[in-house]
Amino acid sequence: MSINAYLNFQGNTREVVTFYAEVFNLPTPKIITFGDMPAHPDYPLPEEAKNGVMHTRLDINGSPLMFSDVFPGMPYVVGNNISLSYVSSNADEIKNAFHKLKEGGKIGMELQATDWSKLYGQVEDKFGILWQFNLDSGESF
């Protein structure tokens, strides 16, 4: 599997991916919003987040590039809005890499099942690099 770049934007991801799709002559990508996810009673979704882009991707000349809006209230710094996404169909590889990277780092989200993956997590390593881990189910969205 590959390591993919993940770019975050402050509310204009839809505009960004539409522009890049046009630049690289690609079809309009499928966009999943925060509001598309099932509601969680303990964590109500703020109204201003519902139309925000939770995930979309473009394949530019064979390289996957993923995008999302930062969640309202989360920090956003131009230049630091890129993370690396480790995608694998091997759960043991994901767990091993995640646990090694969290040593001296900060966990953003423990490895766990989510609505989009059977195993997902985030960690900032000791060098300040944000990593996302995602178990590849073979579905592309």
Side-chain angles (χ1 to χ4, degrees):
M1 289 291 146
S2 60
I3 293 178
N4 305 317
Y6 210 113
L7 288 81
N8 298 110
F9 296 90
Q10 195 167 24
N12 63 335
T13 298
R14 193 177 305 269
E15 176 186 358
V16 170
V17 297
T18 301
F19 173 73
Y20 288 155
E22 182 180 316
V23 166
F24 295 103
N25 197 29
L26 299 169
T28 303
K30 179 180 178 184
I31 292 177
I32 299 170
T33 67
F34 292 111
D36 290 334
M37 293 290 96
H40 190 292
D42 295 333
Y43 304 101
L45 188 64
E47 194 62 38
E48 67 271 19
K50 290 183 179 178
N51 289 323
V53 175
M54 189 187 94
H55 178 78
T56 189
R57 68 180 271 161
L58 294 172
D59 288 308
I60 301 173
N61 200 26
S63 295
L65 197 54
M66 298 182 291
F67 305 81
S68 74
D69 285 321
V70 292
F71 198 77
M74 298 298 292
Y76 173 80
V77 179
V78 174
N80 292 342
N81 56 326
I82 296 175
S83 60
L84 300 177
S85 180
Y86 184 87
V87 180
S88 175
S89 58
N90 185 318
D92 290 333
E93 284 179 2
I94 288 174
K95 290 175 186 174
N96 186 45
F98 182 90
H99 292 299
K100 286 180 180 178
L101 284 172
K102 76 178 186 183
E103 292 177 22
K106 293 183 248 172
I107 296 172
M109 182 177 182
E110 272 293 351
L111 287 173
Q112 59 189 279
T114 64
D115 293 322
W116 63 89
S117 177
K118 291 182 180 175
L119 189 62
Y120 177 84
Q122 297 177 3
V123 65
E124 181 180 319
D125 70 21
K126 63 184 176 183
F127 302 107
I129 303 299
L130 179 62
W131 291 84
Q132 297 184 57
F133 291 85
N134 196 47
L135 184 63
D136 185 10
S137 66
E139 295 179 26
S140 178
F141 65 92

